[in-house]
């Protein structure tokens, strides 16, 4: 199910696809810009969190003692 965003104009929820279809309509332009900003901020935060997790894993596994091989 697609995420829905609250419209400042009508106070109802719509999907991003709804806003994208109406991005050139002057009545919906402000809502589209606001929703696009929310999506970009969420994507930025998700990217930062993923990078922190990857960096933390890389540091953890680089400091882990290597296993001794049984010969």
């Amino acid at each position: 199910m697609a995420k829905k965003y609250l419209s400042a104009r009508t106070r109802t929820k719509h999907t991003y696809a709804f806003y994208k279809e109406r991005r050139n309509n002057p009545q919906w332009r402000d809502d589209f810009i606001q929703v696009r900003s929310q999506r970009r901020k969420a994507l930025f935060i998700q990217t930062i969190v993923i990078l922190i997790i990857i960096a933390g894993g890389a540091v953890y596994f680089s400091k882990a003692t290597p296993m001794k091989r049984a010969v």
Side-chain angles (χ1 to χ4, degrees), residues 1-62:
M1 182 163 188
K3 183 175 180 183
K4 293 189 175 185
Y5 302 92
L6 186 63
S7 170
R9 185 168 143 337
T10 61
R11 298 288 185 218
T12 57
K13 291 186 175 185
H14 301 287
T15 62
Y16 180 72
F18 175 86
Y19 290 112
K20 191 173 179 181
E21 289 174 7
R22 290 159 180 80
R23 68 179 169 230
N24 293 325
N25 185 337
Q27 293 177 335
W28 291 97
R29 182 72 178 160
D30 290 337
D31 281 350
F32 171 72
I33 292 171
Q34 180 182 7
V35 168
R36 185 179 61 187
S37 172
Q38 289 175 8
R39 286 174 54 100
R40 286 182 177 173
K41 185 186 294 186
L43 180 64
F44 177 75
I45 291 170
Q46 289 173 355
T47 303
I48 295 299
V49 168
I50 289 171
L51 289 174
I52 289 171
I53 291 170
I54 291 172
V59 168
Y60 174 77
F61 286 112
S62 69

